[in-house]
């Protein structure tokens, strides 16, 4: 394993043969560092831009590994034969858009190869960071979380104005592949927020929406990291269905997905 | 899946006992209460065959046909009954494990078969033998017609009657003929005989039949083939060899498939029976619709179809020396070994090269001074593999096969030159070896490379002591890179070992002058593993060796396929190379179109063969605890499909472990 140098970049994880992170068969790169703090976060190991060490029994492990750009390029090109039919690279995180400009050379190289690139993002990023991504990636899956300004600040530590502005910019460039809504009580699934979400989506009627209920599968990961997971309970299927029907009634192109 | 070497060494009495024990064991698993009767029947059978004069070739078959009882259950479209109490044994190994070329049987009358097998150009001795056998077949058929007429089943009686003098009128006629000869093969001790390319053979009967009619007829045929499941099974229940080969690349570059191809995939999806099994010859030029149909069948979890990549296999067969036009007609024997029906007597499972075999001895004599670098160590290990492969091939070369007039009749080269198939009368007479444990050995050597030569954590002399320390030993299994990674070094080390085995067999010729081939798939991963001490890949003594080309370390499917596609199977390395994948049903169901993409891109990337176990760990664990609730659960083992409940516990445990690994739960 190489150590941190000026030429190396910390990557959370690289998963090949990902089928749910965008079109076709994809390799998903989990980048480190995130500007917000979702209480239900499923990837707590990627919140900070540092290697996270853990211990399972007597077995030590670490989340994160340093790569040079050349090493990353090599790994990401392995599955080129499987990227036809729209597949390619998905940048995820953490917040992918925060780190992406640092990997600028690689993103441009992959673009040269004609490889489809997209990102899963919450778009709580600066204008420059958004600009780089919007310029160079093919599409974005954009999360919709808490649209209430106070809730957004209190729970996510995010600025709702920044979010709305960034969504508008991506939508103007027609680069939003779909919206993805994690449903978890009381944070995202409350009457006021759901009403705000529907109002928000009406502005983007042509963009499909995926909803899913947040599970607690990451609890084991929280435990080995020595952290406590928020005590939310999983949403019932009935409530999930109710919101699905509500979106349908509002002529929103919605699909329930498993995450 | 018989091991020819093993058979060769069995005495006549031992062979009786072996057969009796084997069959009684299988039967015992299913019908314990009938055990005593079954032993009695076996004994009766032994007495029966011992009394027969075996000097005249084919006399046993004649006698078998005379003694075979009839049985028909009303309502069946086809007549199909194996008299399990009248089957032949032999003091020599019987040629088996290959598909008969059913073309002549399916289309022609017995009269026509007689014309071919007993013509003026056929040597006198062979002609007399063939006449005797075919006359006995005619008598058997007449007896069958009479029996069916007495039962009042005139349709079935007429269909059997037509076999004697008329060519097949339709698909039902053709399938009835195939079933009759399939019965003869099973009763005469020809085990693991595949059905061949039935969609191709039956193509001429598709016209005029609706999809529904085709599917109804083939459904009845498949249900027939599933009968006598225990009798037909060999080393494990389900190991029947009843493999139907579908689709395939044509010499003009087009891809062949028809209504029967699709119908059989649909039928096996629907029936959910382990028999018959399907193999689909795939190619980059195959229609996506057919790839999707294959995925629909795979997702049902019955283990079919095994996918066999024509784009790779056909050129490899040509490079080895098979005629171009022959290679486009290839089938496989019971599982994965490519051969050519009607032209090859290739016996493909004669012994296992165990890559991990030399490891224990090798570790005992490791000296740092002798091996200054990893390259010299790898070189010496490869020499051991080369020697082992050569020994296996030389030992297999000496096998004497039982003369076989029944099979000989359907091999044009045998007829033309008047030479029995057991004496090398077929056009091709090559032998095949299997191999096992490449993954464990490659991982062990990669670990040594990293720990001893790169990180210098310990010396070669210290390696054995280090392996005794539990914590360090456990860690050995998680050191990367691994076999199955598409990194250059993982591919290179695996290839060097494979090439060593290929080099070992390259110059060995069998008694017919035939050559040897080898592949990276074997049914021996459990049994061979029992004999192998612990290996420095983190595998404990006696534990199973790696399954074919499979992921033991959570590699993505694309990575495993890329690894397999990076290996070089030329120079005789094409005797079956199966990428074996575990998948949860929901994973494929939720991503169906992308899974079809994966198959199509994988074919282009160049995997050799692929099979899948589509079942979740939770189902397997539940089935192990409560077998009564999962009587229909089918899994893929070795190269065939079988009921999970019928498997020995060690196979169940291995499947569960692999399913858990695949789901990231261990």
């Amino acid at each position: 394993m190489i150590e941190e140098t000026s030429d190396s970049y910390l990557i959370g994880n690289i998963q090949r043969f990902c089928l749910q992170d965008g079109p076709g068969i994809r390799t998903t790169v989990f980048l480190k560092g995130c500007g917000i703090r979702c209480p239900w976060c499923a990837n707590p190991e990627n919140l900070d831009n540092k290697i996270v060490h853990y211990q399972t029994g007597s077995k030590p492990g670490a989340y994160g590994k340093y790569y040079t750009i050349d090493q990353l390029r090599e790994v990401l090109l392995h599955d080129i034969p499987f990227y036809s039919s729209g597949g390619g690279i998905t940048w995820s995180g953490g917040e992918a858009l925060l780190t992406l400009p640092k990997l600028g050379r690689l993103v441009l190289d992959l673009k040269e190869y004609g490889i489809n690139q997209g990102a899963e993002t919450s778009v709580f990023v600066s204008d420059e960071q958004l600009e780089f991504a919007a310029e160079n990636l093919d599409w974005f899956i954009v999360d919709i979380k808490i649209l209430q300004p106070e809730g957004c600040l209190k729970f996510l530590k995010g600025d709702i104005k920044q979010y709305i502005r960034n969504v508008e910019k991506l939508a103007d460039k027609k680069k939003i592949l779909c919206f993805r809504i994690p449903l978890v009580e009381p944070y995202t699934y409350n009457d006021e927020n759901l009403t705000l979400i529907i109002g928000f989506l009406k502005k983007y009627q042509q963009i499909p929406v995926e909803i899913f209920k947040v599970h607690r599968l990451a609890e084991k990961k929280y435990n080995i990291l020595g952290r406590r997971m928020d005590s939310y309970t999983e949403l019932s299927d009935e409530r999930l269905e109710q919101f699905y029907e509500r979106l349908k009634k509002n002529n929103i192109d919605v699909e329930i997905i498993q995450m | 899946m018989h091991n020819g070497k093993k058979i060769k060494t069995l005495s006549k009495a031992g062979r009786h006992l072996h057969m009796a024990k084997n069959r009684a064991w299988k039967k015992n698993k299913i019908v314990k209460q009938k055990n005593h009767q079954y032993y009695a029947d076996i004994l009766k059978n032994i007495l029966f065959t011992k009394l027969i004069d075996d000097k005249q070739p084919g006399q046993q078959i004649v006698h078998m046909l005379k003694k075979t009882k009839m049985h028909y259950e009303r309502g069946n479209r086809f007549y199909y009954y194996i008299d399990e109490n009248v089957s032949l044994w032999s003091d020599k190994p019987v040629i088996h494990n290959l598909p008969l070329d059913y073309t002549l049987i399916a289309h022609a009358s017995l009269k026509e078969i007689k014309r071919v097998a007993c013509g003026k150009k056929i040597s006198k001795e062979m002609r007399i033998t063939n006449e005797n056998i075919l006359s006995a077949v005619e008598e058997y058929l007449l007896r069958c017609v009479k029996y069916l007429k007495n039962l009042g089943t005139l349709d079935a009686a007429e269909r059997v009657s037509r076999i004697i003098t008329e060519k097949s009128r339709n698909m039902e006629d053709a399938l009835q003929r195939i079933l009759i000869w399939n019965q003869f093969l099973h009763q005469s001790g020809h085990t693991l005989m595949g059905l061949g390319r039935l969609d191709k053979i039956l193509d001429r009967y598709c016209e005029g039949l609706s999809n529904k009619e085709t599917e109804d007829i083939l459904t009845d045929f498949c249900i027939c083939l599933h009968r006598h499941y225990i009798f037909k099974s060999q080393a494990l229940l389900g190991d029947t060899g009843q493999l139907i080969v579908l689709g395939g690349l044509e010499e003009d570059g087009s891809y062949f498939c028809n209504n029967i191809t699709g119908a059989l995939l649909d039928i096996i999806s629907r029936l959910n029976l382990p028999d018959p099994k399907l193999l689909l010859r795939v190619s980059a030029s195959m229609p996506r619709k057919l790839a999707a149909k294959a995925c629909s069948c795979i997702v049902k979890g019955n283990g079919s179809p095994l996918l066999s990549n024509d784009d790779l296999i056909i050129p490899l067969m040509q490079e080895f020396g098979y005629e171009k036009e022959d290679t486009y007609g290839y089938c496989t024997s019971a599982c994965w070994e490519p051969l050519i029906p009607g032209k090859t007597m290739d016996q493909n499972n004669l012994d296992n090269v165990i890559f991990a075999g030399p490891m224990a001895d090798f570790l005992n004599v490791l000296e740092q001074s002798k091996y200054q670098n990893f390259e010299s160590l790898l070189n010496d290990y490869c020499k051991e593999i080369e020697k082992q492969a050569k020994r296996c091939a030389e030992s297999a070369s000496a096998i004497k096969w039982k003369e076989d007039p029944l099979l000989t009749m359907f091999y044009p080269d045998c007829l033309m030159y008047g030479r029995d198939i057991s004496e090398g009368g077929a056009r091709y007479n090559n032998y095949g070896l299997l191999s096992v444990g490449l993954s464990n050995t490659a991982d062990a050597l990669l670990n040594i490379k990293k720990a001893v030569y790169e990180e210098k954590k310990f010396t070669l002399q210290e390696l054995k002591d280090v392996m005794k320390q539990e914590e360090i030993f456990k860690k050995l299994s998680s050191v990367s890179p691994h076999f199955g990674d598409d990194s250059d070094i993982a591919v290179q080390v695996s290839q060097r070992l494979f090439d060593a085995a290929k080099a070992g067999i390259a110059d060995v010729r069998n008694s017919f002058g035939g050559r040897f081939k080898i592949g990276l798939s074997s049914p021996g991963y459990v049994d061979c593993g029992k004999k192998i001490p612990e290996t420095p890949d983190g595998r404990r003594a006696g534990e199973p060796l790696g399954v074919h080309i499979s992921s033991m370390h959570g590699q993505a499917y694309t990575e495993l396929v890329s690894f397999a596609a990076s290996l070089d199977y030329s120079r005789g390395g094409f005797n079956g190379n199966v990428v074996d994948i575990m998948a949860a049903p929901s994973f494929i169901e939720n991503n169906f179109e992308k899974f079809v993409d994966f198959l199509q891109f994988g074919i282009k990337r160049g995997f050799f063969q692929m099979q899948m176990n589509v079942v979740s760990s939770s189902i397997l664990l539940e089935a192990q605890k409560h077998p009564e609730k999962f009587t229909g659960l089918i899994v893929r083992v070795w190269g065939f499909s079988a009921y999970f409940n019928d498997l020995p516990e060690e196979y169940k445990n291995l499947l569960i472990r692999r399913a858990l690994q695949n789901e990231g739960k261990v």
Side-chain angles (χ1 to χ4, degrees):
Chain A
M1 192 172 88
I2 66 162
E3 300 303 324
E4 183 174 10
T5 66
S6 56
D7 291 336
S8 68
Y9 301 88
L10 183 59
I11 303 295
N13 191 18
I14 300 174
Q15 275 180 13
R16 293 165 66 176
F17 196 52
C18 290
L19 304 184
Q20 291 189 315
D21 300 336
I25 294 169
R26 312 195 69 82
T27 299
T28 299
V29 186
F30 293 87
L31 300 173
K32 288 247 178 193
C34 187
I36 56 170
R37 290 292 181 268
C38 305
W40 61 88
C41 179
N43 297 317
E45 73 281 12
N46 291 333
L47 286 174
D48 299 315
N49 189 24
K50 62 181 185 188
I51 291 185
V52 179
H53 296 277
Y54 64 86
Q55 189 88 14
T56 44
S58 59
K59 201 175 163 185
Y63 290 115
K65 189 176 163 184
Y66 285 98
Y67 291 82
T68 64
I69 291 287
D70 287 345
Q71 285 172 328
L72 269 176
R73 189 191 301 104
E74 193 188 333
V75 174
L76 300 184
L77 292 181
H78 268 306
D79 276 351
I80 273 195
F82 297 93
Y83 293 156
S84 312
S85 291
I89 310 295
T90 300
W91 302 99
S92 185
E95 171 51 64
L97 270 49
L98 280 183
T99 322
L100 212 55
K102 288 187 205 163
L103 298 168
R105 205 177 94 216
L106 177 64
V107 173
L108 296 176
D109 281 357
L110 295 170
K111 203 174 163 183
E112 286 265 300
Y113 275 100
I115 292 174
N116 178 290
Q117 295 182 76
E120 292 174 325
T121 176
S122 297
V123 293
F124 288 97
V125 292
S126 69
D127 291 350
E128 295 75 30
Q129 286 159 340
L130 189 90
E131 194 57 39
F132 175 81
E135 185 68 25
N136 294 300
L137 304 192
D138 299 292
W139 53 262
F140 297 84
I141 294 174
V142 178
D143 289 346
I144 303 177
K145 290 172 179 168
I146 302 174
L147 296 183
Q148 301 145 286
E150 313 79 44
C152 181
L153 187 63
K154 183 179 171 192
F155 296 117
L156 306 183
K157 314 283 183 275
D159 173 6
I160 196 67
K161 285 181 187 161
Q162 183 187 44
Y163 173 83
I164 290 172
R165 194 170 62 242
N166 286 344
V167 171
E168 278 171 3
K169 283 183 193 166
L170 291 180
D172 285 348
K173 290 178 186 283
K174 302 200 182 313
K175 288 220 169 177
I176 299 180
L177 188 70
C178 73
F179 287 115
R180 199 172 265 180
I181 310 175
L183 294 171
V184 53
E185 287 177 306
Y187 304 111
T188 63
Y189 198 102
N190 63 64
D191 279 347
E192 189 189 340
N193 196 44
L194 296 184
T195 306
L196 284 171
I197 289 175
I198 289 170
F200 180 76
L201 287 174
K202 281 185 177 170
K203 282 194 279 180
Y204 302 107
Q205 209 97 26
Q206 75 287 5
I207 300 174
V209 177
E210 295 175 350
I211 61 172
F212 68 98
K213 58 179 185 178
V214 175
H215 53 66
R216 295 191 63 84
L217 295 176
E219 193 154 18
K220 201 174 153 191
K221 205 153 51 174
Y222 275 85
N223 291 340
I224 61 172
L225 291 174
R227 296 186 198 172
R228 197 178 65 81
M229 194 180 195
D230 189 89
S231 58
Y232 67 87
T233 51
E234 283 184 18
L235 194 72
S236 68
D237 287 339
E238 196 187 351
R239 298 202 129 202
L240 178 71
E241 198 69 31
Q242 277 171 7
F243 185 51
Y244 172 80
E245 290 302 332
R246 216 173 138 190
L247 290 168
K248 279 274 192 199
K249 270 185 199 158
N250 283 281
N251 296 320
I252 291 162
D253 175 10
V254 60
E255 188 189 347
I256 296 174
I257 60 163
Q258 311 269 344
M259 289 292 282
Chain B
M1 190 138 330
H2 272 144
N3 179 321
K5 191 177 165 192
K6 206 180 275 177
I7 294 169
K8 185 191 63 169
T9 57
L10 288 171
S11 67
K12 190 186 281 188
R15 172 101 176 108
H16 294 320
L17 196 63
H18 171 74
M19 278 180 65
K21 270 185 179 173
N22 187 24
R23 290 164 63 180
W25 173 80
K26 288 183 279 173
K27 197 86 177 176
N28 191 30
K29 299 270 292 181
I30 305 299
V31 277
K32 281 183 182 165
Q33 70 277 18
K34 289 186 182 170
N35 210 12
H36 294 301
Q37 183 56 45
Y38 199 74
Y39 269 119
D41 290 343
I42 295 285
L43 286 170
K44 192 169 69 182
N45 187 28
I46 290 167
L47 286 173
F48 158 65
T49 50
K50 268 182 101 174
L51 291 173
I52 301 306
D53 174 13
D54 198 21
K55 282 176 190 161
Q56 172 65 40
Q59 270 312 103
Q60 284 206 357
I61 293 163
V62 170
H63 205 78
M64 177 193 87
L65 290 169
K66 280 184 182 163
K67 290 284 178 185
T68 296
K69 286 181 185 154
M70 308 277 161
H71 179 75
Y72 175 80
E73 280 172 28
R74 281 173 199 282
N76 281 312
R77 188 190 302 263
F78 298 111
Y79 178 79
Y80 184 63
Y81 176 68
I82 292 174
D83 188 344
E84 296 184 14
N85 292 321
V86 185
S87 59
L88 300 185
W89 60 272
S90 165
D91 54 350
K92 286 184 192 165
V94 175
I95 291 170
H96 68 307
N97 204 352
L98 43 74
L100 186 67
D101 182 358
Y102 277 102
T103 311
L104 185 64
I105 287 167
H107 304 319
S109 63
L110 188 66
K111 198 173 150 192
E112 175 65 11
I113 296 174
K114 270 186 188 169
R115 196 188 63 74
V116 173
C118 311
K120 284 179 187 169
K121 289 181 180 171
I122 310 298
S123 70
K124 189 182 170 192
E125 194 184 346
M126 189 174 272
R127 195 168 63 232
I128 292 168
T129 302
N130 292 350
E131 277 169 357
N132 283 341
I133 293 173
L134 292 172
S135 296
V137 170
E138 186 173 340
E139 276 176 39
Y140 173 84
L141 293 174
L142 287 169
R143 200 152 56 86
C144 191
V145 172
K146 195 175 164 192
Y147 168 78
L148 290 168
K149 278 186 179 165
N150 285 341
L151 289 177
T153 51
L154 296 183
D155 276 359
E158 279 170 21
R159 193 172 298 121
V160 174
S161 172
R162 281 199 292 276
I163 298 174
I164 300 169
T165 52
E166 290 181 40
K167 63 181 181 183
S168 289
R169 293 178 185 176
N170 50 38
M171 192 180 289
E172 286 164 299
D173 276 5
L175 290 171
Q176 177 63 76
R177 290 162 201 221
I178 290 171
L179 285 171
I180 291 276
W181 284 90
N182 172 279
Q183 170 206 333
F184 297 162
L185 288 175
H186 279 294
Q187 279 191 235
S188 56
H190 296 89
T191 56
L192 302 167
M193 299 293 283
L195 279 302
R197 301 181 72 190
L198 288 193
D199 54 356
K200 184 90 173 168
I201 292 172
L202 300 172
D203 188 46
R204 64 175 72 169
Y205 306 111
C206 286
E207 208 179 308
L209 279 180
S210 70
N211 288 349
K212 167 89 172 59
E213 285 166 331
T214 306
E215 201 164 320
D216 286 349
I217 294 167
L218 290 168
T219 299
D220 289 351
F221 174 73
C222 289
I223 290 169
C224 275
L225 284 176
H226 196 266
R227 290 192 207 139
H228 307 281
Y229 180 70
I230 299 169
F231 175 81
K232 291 171 181 174
S233 294
Q234 295 304 301
L236 287 179
L237 277 177
D239 184 17
T240 63
Q242 296 200 124
L243 184 75
I244 297 173
V245 177
L246 300 175
L249 199 61
E250 301 278 39
E251 204 171 341
D252 64 7
S254 63
Y255 181 84
F256 170 83
C257 60
N258 59 16
N259 283 356
I260 298 169
T261 321
L264 278 165
L265 287 164
D266 287 342
I267 291 163
I268 296 303
S269 302
R270 182 167 44 80
L271 287 181
N272 204 33
L273 295 171
D275 251 23
K277 298 107 175 42
L278 302 180
L279 177 145
L280 180 64
R281 283 178 42 178
V282 298
S283 161
S285 61
M286 76 189 283
R288 183 175 173 90
K289 204 174 158 189
L290 185 62
K293 226 178 230 306
C295 282
S296 298
C297 190
I298 285 167
V299 79
K300 296 289 177 191
N302 59 50
S304 282
L306 183 146
L307 308 172
S308 193
N309 193 347
D310 284 9
D311 299 338
L312 204 67
I313 292 171
I314 289 173
L316 287 167
M317 292 183 83
Q318 289 168 15
E319 181 228 35
F320 189 73
Y322 296 97
E323 290 294 326
K324 187 177 177 188
E325 62 172 45
D326 291 342
T327 56
Y328 285 91
Y330 90 87
C331 288
T332 66
S333 56
C335 298
W336 46 62
E337 306 87 343
L339 45 70
I340 297 150
K343 290 178 179 169
T344 48
M345 69 79 73
D346 296 16
Q347 295 293 282
N348 281 326
N349 295 336
L350 297 180
D351 209 345
N352 275 297
V353 171
I354 307 172
F355 283 104
M359 186 62 76
D361 287 344
F362 202 71
L363 291 180
N364 277 333
V365 297
L366 281 179
E367 285 172 31
Q368 198 82 29
S369 57
K370 191 176 172 192
Y371 298 113
Q372 290 298 322
N373 54 46
F374 177 69
E375 182 56 30
S376 57
L377 183 141
L378 180 60
N379 258 337
D380 269 18
Y381 198 90
C382 284
K383 279 180 196 161
E384 292 300 318
I385 295 298
E386 194 174 328
K387 282 185 217 162
Q388 189 199 156
K390 192 172 184 185
R391 277 197 305 275
C392 289
E394 284 173 347
S395 163
S397 296
I399 297 174
K400 300 282 181 210
W401 302 98
K402 174 76 180 167
E403 65 184 359
D404 204 326
L406 189 65
L407 284 188
T408 296
M409 276 195 293
F410 297 100
Y411 280 74
D413 293 78
C414 294
L415 294 174
M416 193 188 305
Y417 298 111
R419 190 186 296 170
D420 192 275
I421 188 171
S422 63
E423 292 165 2
R427 182 171 300 176
Y428 306 105
N429 299 282
N430 301 309
Y431 284 174
L433 299 180
L434 306 160
S435 75
V436 66
L438 179 62
S439 53
N440 309 87
T441 312
D443 282 359
L445 292 169
L446 286 165
N447 279 346
I448 293 173
K449 179 177 187 289
K450 194 164 190 175
V452 177
Y453 292 100
E454 289 169 9
E455 297 176 357
K456 300 187 192 306
K457 283 185 179 164
F458 42 80
T459 66
L460 283 178
Q461 281 84 350
E462 286 164 350
L463 181 61
K464 276 199 78 178
D465 290 334
V466 163
M467 282 169 64
K468 286 176 193 154
Q469 297 171 39
E470 186 66 23
E471 287 308 316
I472 297 178
F473 190 73
K474 265 191 207 165
K475 277 183 202 165
L476 288 173
S477 65
S478 57
V479 179
S480 61
H482 300 287
F483 174 92
D485 293 354
D486 55 358
S487 67
D488 290 346
I489 188 66
V491 173
Q492 279 163 15
V493 170
S494 305
Q495 187 70 54
R496 288 279 295 277
L497 292 161
F498 189 23
D499 285 346
K502 288 193 273 179
I505 59 172
D507 296 328
V508 185
R509 297 288 179 270
N510 64 27
S511 52
F512 312 121
R515 295 169 62 195
F516 278 80
K517 0 172 204 176
I518 189 166
L520 298 178
S521 303
S522 166
Y525 46 84
V526 169
D527 284 348
C528 294
K530 285 177 188 167
K531 301 173 213 157
I532 304 294
E534 59 194 3
T535 40
D537 61 326
R539 178 194 144 276
R540 285 284 173 213
E543 284 184 358
L545 295 161
V547 178
H548 313 325
I549 303 172
S550 61
S551 158
M552 297 203 293
H553 302 283
Q555 290 98 340
Y557 298 167
T558 47
E559 180 162 25
L560 188 65
V561 164
S562 295
F563 168 82
S566 302
L567 294 175
D568 173 13
Y569 304 101
S570 66
R571 290 167 289 120
F574 64 97
N575 197 36
N577 297 287
V578 180
V579 173
D580 190 290
I581 282 178
M582 300 290 297
S586 59
F587 180 74
I588 302 182
E589 282 161 4
N590 295 338
N591 303 286
F592 187 80
E593 288 302 323
K594 291 185 184 183
F595 206 78
V596 179
D597 286 345
F598 163 65
L599 281 192
Q600 292 204 294
F601 300 148
I603 293 163
K604 278 187 199 158
R605 180 71 183 86
F607 69 74
F608 189 100
Q609 288 161 330
M610 187 190 286
Q611 65 181 13
M612 280 176 233
N613 253 308
V614 182
V615 62
S616 67
S617 61
S618 56
I619 294 285
L620 292 176
L621 284 163
E622 193 63 14
Q624 194 177 36
K625 265 192 219 158
H626 301 289
E628 72 285 357
K629 291 184 192 167
F630 293 88
T631 50
L633 179 64
I634 297 169
V635 290
R636 192 83 182 168
V637 58
W638 299 357
F640 60 85
S641 307
Y643 288 117
F644 182 71
N645 284 351
D646 288 345
L647 294 178
E649 283 304 302
E650 55 215 319
Y651 284 89
K652 290 182 184 175
N653 291 336
L654 179 61
L655 280 167
I656 289 169
R657 197 183 80 200
R658 292 188 61 215
L660 287 167
Q661 273 172 348
N662 172 58
E663 293 161 24
K665 292 178 180 168
V666 287

